[in-house]
Amino acid sequence: MAEIIIMPKLGFNMSEGKLVCWYKKEGDSVTKGEPVFSIETDKTSIDIEATADGVFRKKFIEAGDSVEVTLPIAIIAGAEENIEEQIREVERALGRGQNQAAAAEQSVDAEVPDHIEASESATFTRQPEQADFMKITPRARRKAKELGLNLESVALTGTGYQGGICEKDILAYAHAHRVKITPVAQKLAEAEGISAEEVTGSGIRGKITKRDVIDTIAARTETGERKTGTAADLQEAYGTPENEQSGRYTPDGKEISEILPYSGVRKIIGDRLSESKFTAPHLYFTQKINLERLLDLRKEVNGALPQKTSVTDYIAKAVIIALQKYPEMNSSLIGDRIEKYKSVNLGIAVAAPGGLIVPVIKNAEKKTLAELSGEAGIYIEKARTGKLRPEEYSGGTFSISNLGMFGIENFTAIINPPEVGILAISATKDEPFVVTGSDGEKQLSIKPMMNVTLSVDHRVVDGLLAARFVTEVKRLLEQPIELML
């Protein structure tokens, strides 16, 4: 029996998923339990497994497309099974879901966007048949948004399946109503007698770049439309950009080497941290800690245990003990209430390829130092390889961020909402330190010193409480035997 695959909802705040890649192509056999596709959530990439045996019959989105959670994206069925009805069902569902999303985003008026230049004959009236349902692919929907086209206000003719609007229809419309070209590409096109309307732009918002013009010239040479010169001649004469990004300029003349979309995980991280920084009034407390005893203890422990411990493991243990002593720090601001927790779910910030991610050690107060070290090692490795599951990076009550391994001597961290605190850990450096002897005399010595800075949400945490908490962390790290009890 045919099974419709949907975009899964993998987190409470997840509203849409972005397809990273398909592991199957249409016609491939599928076995229950094997990965079929990978999606990008708000934190990492997750492989989604098949829930039934069959054949991968039909896909409705491509890599890079984003759709709302629970919307259908593919069909698995028997090799000879008739799936026409399921295809129609999916198309109806995708059309409704996207139309609702577009309606929420787009303005109700029918004015032409400022950056879309229409010819005199262009029509900007909403098509009657679009009132309740618009058949458009996710890729076309995304391209229209990139180009600033208001789908409710422009007349589009679909050339896709059953008259649906596809990406090339969006590009054709944008190309017909506005042609944008870089200065370098414009000069090259004029020198070769090429109209900009003949060139398909690959730049942002369909802008024509130097590469696009060179490709057009090369195509003319191959088809005989251009009698002199070869592709190699063109490259020698004009130079071929190293990548499709080159040849772009800012309005004030700066050449752009690369343009990257501010989207996906990077945008989500930016949005969350911006919300935290500008919503929660941050207050900072710094302590300088002498790690001499801790480093000596760690050396002894690592000599006795098969698994080596890190300095971060000891700091994590100290933070856990301090949170139990000051439970107000182990809390969250949820709407108009403050929730204090018995469970200490400690987040450890990790720099992953897709951006910062914070795996969470659940019920950390119940774990020994060795257990914390082992679990942290597993999570950090999974974070760096993009293998964390949603439940492994959610539900934190307090976080730590360690940049000591990069030699950073001091920094402040932004709180991970809805938590109320985060501890920033800097590098350990040998520094002059005043030692007071039993006779009261003071001597200058060299000690391994480390700065830690506590960031707290001042709406929930008062300065005195924060000072006591970070001082308790300092005490535990300077008398580390308590961490082993």
Side-chain angles (χ1 to χ4, degrees):
M1 181 176 178
E3 178 175 355
I4 296 177
I5 301 175
I6 65 170
M7 178 62 70
K9 184 178 178 67
L10 300 178
F12 179 77
N13 295 320
M14 181 178 173
S15 60
E16 71 173 16
K18 179 180 179 180
L19 182 73
V20 177
C21 68
W22 289 109
Y23 294 124
K24 297 289 184 178
K25 61 181 182 293
E26 292 180 356
D28 285 353
S29 61
V30 176
T31 302
K32 181 178 179 180
E34 69 173 323
V36 177
F37 60 101
S38 177
I39 64 171
E40 183 180 87
T41 69
D42 62 345
K43 295 289 187 178
T44 187
S45 296
I46 301 291
D47 288 346
I48 306 300
E49 300 175 350
T51 58
D53 296 339
V55 175
F56 189 72
R57 294 286 302 278
K58 182 72 174 177
K59 62 181 180 180
F60 296 92
I61 67 173
E62 301 292 341
D65 289 341
S66 297
V67 299
E68 297 174 43
V69 296
T70 74
L71 284 181
I73 60 174
I75 297 175
I76 292 177
E80 305 299 327
E81 188 174 351
N82 187 329
I83 61 171
E84 289 301 317
E85 178 57 34
Q86 285 80 8
I87 290 176
R88 287 192 290 272
E89 180 183 344
V90 169
E91 289 177 340
R92 286 194 297 269
L94 285 175
R96 284 195 300 269
Q98 293 159 13
N99 203 46
Q100 290 167 358
E105 294 175 357
Q106 296 168 344
S107 171
V108 294
D109 60 47
E111 294 182 4
V112 183
D114 292 340
H115 53 277
I116 299 295
E117 297 173 1
S119 65
E120 291 181 359
S121 60
T123 58
F124 284 85
T125 57
R126 183 177 178 179
Q127 299 182 62
E129 61 270 23
Q130 291 179 337
D132 298 316
F133 173 68
M134 178 184 292
K135 293 178 62 175
I136 181 169
T137 66
R139 187 182 291 274
R141 177 80 64 182
R142 184 178 64 185
K143 180 58 68 175
K145 186 174 181 180
E146 290 175 0
L147 295 174
L149 286 177
N150 186 335
L151 294 173
E152 300 293 328
S153 305
V154 299
L156 293 170
T157 301
T159 61
Y161 178 70
Q162 295 183 348
I165 298 168
C166 55
E167 184 181 27
K168 69 176 183 179
D169 301 324
I170 299 295
L171 292 173
Y173 182 89
H175 192 73
H177 294 88
R178 185 180 185 187
V179 176
K180 297 188 296 180
I181 185 169
T182 67
V184 173
Q186 181 70 50
K187 291 180 181 179
L188 178 57
E190 291 174 355
E192 291 291 331
I194 294 176
S195 169
E197 284 75 11
E198 301 174 56
V199 184
T200 300
S202 64
I204 188 169
R205 300 184 185 276
K207 194 168 188 177
I208 297 171
T209 66
K210 179 180 177 182
R211 173 182 288 280
D212 300 326
V213 178
I214 289 178
D215 289 345
T216 300
I217 298 171
R220 282 188 168 191
T221 303
E222 293 174 0
T223 59
E225 294 179 46
R226 186 177 189 272
K227 301 299 182 182
T228 59
T230 65
D233 296 331
L234 294 172
Q235 293 180 9
E236 182 177 353
Y238 301 119
T240 300
E242 293 182 359
N243 58 64
E244 64 180 7
Q245 309 287 353
S246 58
R248 301 179 182 180
Y249 291 82
T250 63
D252 59 354
K254 296 189 292 291
E255 185 171 6
I256 301 171
S257 64
E258 185 177 11
I259 296 176
L260 301 173
Y262 180 56
S263 60
V265 173
R266 174 56 55 195
K267 185 176 187 303
I268 292 167
I269 291 172
D271 291 345
R272 285 175 58 85
L273 294 182
S274 295
E275 179 184 2
S276 173
K277 184 69 173 178
F278 298 116
T279 301
H282 284 48
L283 196 59
Y284 306 102
F285 299 82
T286 299
Q287 277 281 18
K288 189 177 289 291
I289 301 173
N290 179 2
L291 292 188
E292 184 175 46
R293 291 184 180 179
L294 186 144
L295 295 178
D296 289 341
L297 175 65
R298 174 174 174 257
K299 184 176 181 180
E300 291 186 32
V301 171
N302 286 349
L305 294 178
Q307 163 141 6
K308 307 305 179 187
T309 58
S310 68
V311 172
T312 303
D313 298 330
Y314 294 86
I315 297 172
K317 186 64 176 179
V319 167
I320 292 165
I321 295 173
L323 287 172
Q324 291 177 287
K325 183 173 181 178
Y326 298 103
E328 295 87 351
M329 293 293 304
N330 193 46
S331 62
S332 293
L333 179 60
I334 310 294
D336 59 356
R337 70 183 191 273
I338 299 172
E339 294 182 353
K340 298 180 182 179
Y341 307 109
K342 289 184 178 180
S343 301
V344 176
N345 293 348
L346 186 68
I348 302 176
V350 178
L356 184 72
I357 189 167
V358 186
V360 176
I361 301 176
K362 305 290 178 62
N363 299 309
E365 77 282 0
K366 299 178 181 179
K367 295 177 170 62
T368 65
L369 178 70
E371 290 170 338
L372 284 172
S373 178
E375 193 166 337
I378 294 172
Y379 282 172
I380 290 171
E381 179 60 27
K382 292 178 73 172
R384 288 171 176 164
T385 56
K387 300 299 183 182
L388 280 176
R389 300 190 302 272
E391 62 269 23
E392 293 173 332
Y393 56 75
S394 59
T397 61
F398 189 92
S399 297
I400 62 176
S401 179
N402 189 351
L403 293 180
M405 64 286 293
F406 301 108
I408 302 301
E409 296 187 16
N410 197 29
F411 74 104
T412 58
I414 299 176
I415 300 166
N416 187 25
E419 299 167 17
V420 298
I422 184 170
L423 188 70
I425 304 159
S426 302
T428 302
K429 301 282 187 180
D430 286 339
E431 296 180 6
F433 185 82
V434 177
V435 178
T436 303
S438 56
D439 56 0
E441 291 190 8
K442 296 181 179 180
Q443 295 182 338
L444 196 61
S445 179
I446 301 297
K447 301 290 183 181
M449 306 299 294
M450 175 185 72
N451 287 325
V452 297
T453 299
L454 174 67
S455 305
V456 296
D457 184 345
H458 203 11
R459 295 174 301 176
V460 180
V461 179
D462 293 328
L464 180 58
L465 171 63
R468 286 174 173 171
F469 173 83
V470 74
T471 300
E472 176 66 7
V473 172
K474 170 184 171 71
R475 187 190 68 80
L476 289 166
L477 293 176
E478 291 186 342
Q479 300 177 29
I481 193 62
E482 292 188 36
L483 305 179
M484 309 301 295
L485 300 179

